[in-house]
Amino acid sequence: GAGLGYTNTQLKKMLSAKSVNGTEVLEVSVAGTSPENCAKIANAIADLAPRKITEIVDGSAVKIIDRAKVPTDPISPSIPRNIASAFLLGIAMSGITLVLIYISDSTIYGEEDLKEFSQLPILGIFPDLSYASQKKGSYYLYGYGGRSEGK
């Protein structure tokens, strides 16, 4: 592996080659943790490939278009893309959680909910005295359907 101590299996996992736009131009990529080592491996392949290809394919001419340069930025992980993905995933999960909570809520909040649940007639409603006991005064407060009206 260009004298860098990589095994054949490790090199095979690091290498990828593809044709550029369906032409006879071959692009070789090396991905690894050390950008310097990746550039050395890619350049070693560029040095060996023309000779090996001409041995295999009779009458072929191989030229090196560009040599590998040491990259300045890593190709993975992409911090901005990961943050954006996590943000969108968090919004989606929050929305799904709220919808599930709303759908699974079987609490009866008022007279309308009770009418939907049962066809039996409503004989009476308990007044909401909790708010009236907090306020000092001589009035009664009745609650209907989550809204309070003072009387």
Side-chain angles (χ1 to χ4, degrees):
L4 300 174
Y6 291 104
T7 65
N8 288 339
T9 307
Q10 290 172 325
L11 286 174
K12 188 175 180 180
K13 289 179 182 178
M14 294 170 67
L15 288 172
S16 67
K18 65 180 179 177
S19 173
V20 178
N21 297 327
T23 64
E24 292 181 0
V25 176
L26 185 66
E27 178 182 320
V28 176
S29 300
V30 181
T33 56
S34 170
E36 293 83 13
N37 287 350
C38 291
K40 287 179 184 177
I41 293 169
N43 286 327
I45 291 171
D47 293 337
L48 294 174
R51 186 168 29 105
K52 289 294 183 183
I53 292 174
T54 54
E55 287 176 9
I56 296 170
V57 181
D58 291 330
S60 64
V62 179
K63 294 180 184 177
I64 304 300
I65 296 173
D66 197 8
R67 300 194 57 84
K69 297 174 188 79
V70 177
T72 57
D73 296 324
I75 59 168
S76 178
S78 174
I79 303 295
R81 185 174 22 148
N82 289 351
I83 289 173
S85 298
F87 180 73
L88 293 175
L89 182 64
I91 289 174
M93 293 300 291
S94 298
I96 290 170
T97 302
L98 289 174
V99 167
L100 289 176
I101 289 172
Y102 180 75
I103 289 173
S104 66
D105 186 14
S106 61
T107 306
I108 297 174
Y109 288 102
E111 188 176 343
E112 295 81 21
D113 294 337
L114 194 55
K115 286 180 184 176
E116 287 179 22
F117 177 70
S118 173
Q119 299 298 325
L120 297 174
I122 298 173
L123 300 176
I125 298 173
F126 290 106
D128 184 7
L129 299 176
S130 61
Y131 183 74
S133 66
Q134 293 174 359
K135 297 284 185 180
K136 305 246 186 222
S138 61
Y139 63 89
Y140 293 99
L141 184 70
Y142 297 96
Y144 296 100
R147 295 181 299 263
S148 299
E149 300 172 10
K151 294 191 178 186

